[in-house]
């Protein structure tokens, strides 16, 4: 098989016969289908949130509870984590060694955990103010949308830890590279969803 055939978008499978290019493509296409189904889930949650914006029922509303500063910091953290994961992918693609990939993945993991810490702090403040999901339709919709994204970030952090373990055991073989590529798609997808949350929920909520 030629070197051109062994190269797959986003991967460097040169000098490796562990996986056929078609097998890698099928795995990626299947994961894209999963991401599209996840996008539908978030679209429904955004739609529900939009219909409940005015349904505060006397409970705290977006202007009272949302703070633009912390949410902007969370946005910067998550976008930076997307950059660090991209640098891990570049190190993997161009065979710059296992240490570089692991270092960038560890930094991505730390940023993901810091993001979750900020988000939990925001939720704790809202609960202290009496802004709990059972108070109004607006708060129920908010706590259906934003924590769902947080759960996805948590899953992504766990996935990074699993990949670090796989790299330690198997090295950067073809299947580990493919799994890292899927994880990268998932992580960048979460960044896109968060940008939508920041724009639709926090930015709109604090400026209206």
């Amino acid at each position: 098989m030629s070197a051109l055939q062994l190269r797959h978008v986003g991967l460097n499978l040169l000098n490796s016969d562990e996986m056929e290019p078609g097998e890698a493509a099928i795995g990626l296409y299947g994961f894209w289908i999963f991401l599209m189904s996840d996008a539908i889930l978030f679209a429904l949650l955004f739609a529900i949130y939009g219909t409940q914006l005015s349904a505060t029922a006397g409970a705290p509303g977006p202007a009272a509870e949302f703070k633009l500063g912390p949410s902007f910091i969370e946005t910067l953290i998550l976008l930076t984590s997307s950059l660090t994961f991209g640098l891990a992918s570049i190190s993997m693609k161009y065979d710059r060694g296992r240490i570089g990939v692991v270092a960038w993945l560890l930094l991505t993991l730390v940023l993901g955990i810091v993001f979750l810490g900020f988000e939990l702090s925001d939720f704790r403040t809202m609960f202290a103010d009496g802004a709990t999901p059972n108070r109004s339709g607006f708060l129920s919709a908010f706590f259906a949308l934003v924590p769902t994204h947080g759960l996805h970030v948590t899953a992504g952090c766990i996935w990074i830890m699993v990949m670090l373990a796989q790299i330690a055991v198997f090295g950067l073989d073809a299947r580990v590279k493919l799994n890292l590529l899927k994880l990268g798609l998932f992580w960048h997808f979460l960044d896109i969803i968060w940008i939508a949350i920041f724009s639709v929920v926090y930015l709109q909520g604090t400026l209206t």
Side-chain angles (χ1 to χ4, degrees), residues 42 93 107 151:
F42 278 106
K93 180 177 176 64
L107 184 53
L151 288 175

Side-chain angles (χ1 to χ4, degrees), residues 11-169:
L11 293 169
N12 181 7
L13 299 180
L14 190 63
N15 300 323
S16 171
D17 293 320
E18 299 174 55
M19 184 181 299
E20 293 290 335
E23 183 182 356
I26 291 173
L28 286 178
Y29 294 153
F31 195 75
W32 271 111
I33 293 173
F34 161 73
L35 286 182
M36 293 305 100
S37 67
D38 222 21
I40 293 172
L41 167 65
F42 278 106
L44 292 172
L45 292 176
F46 274 108
I48 294 170
Y49 177 82
T51 64
Q52 297 298 311
L53 270 173
S54 59
T56 55
E65 289 302 318
F66 296 162
K67 306 295 187 294
L68 192 57
S71 60
F72 181 69
I73 292 173
E74 291 166 30
T75 302
L76 291 179
I77 292 171
L78 206 56
L79 290 177
T80 303
S81 76
S82 189
L83 171 64
T84 56
F85 198 104
L87 292 172
S89 299
I90 290 173
S91 295
M92 175 186 71
K93 180 177 176 64
Y94 294 104
D95 289 330
R96 294 178 179 173
R98 186 188 306 188
I99 295 177
V101 176
V102 170
W104 288 119
L105 286 177
L106 283 173
L107 184 53
T108 303
L109 175 61
V110 169
L111 290 170
I113 293 172
V114 171
F115 169 85
L116 291 172
F118 271 92
E119 192 166 67
L120 288 174
S121 177
D122 290 343
F123 295 159
R124 185 167 55 248
T125 300
M126 292 180 69
F127 271 67
D129 293 341
T132 54
N134 61 325
R135 291 289 305 278
S136 67
F138 161 72
L139 289 170
S140 294
F142 171 83
F143 281 105
L145 171 60
V146 180
T148 298
H149 176 270
L151 288 175
H152 279 69
V153 175
T154 302
C157 289
I158 294 172
W159 193 352
I160 291 175
M161 290 187 280
V162 171
M163 292 312 305
L164 289 170
Q166 287 191 4
I167 293 172
V169 174

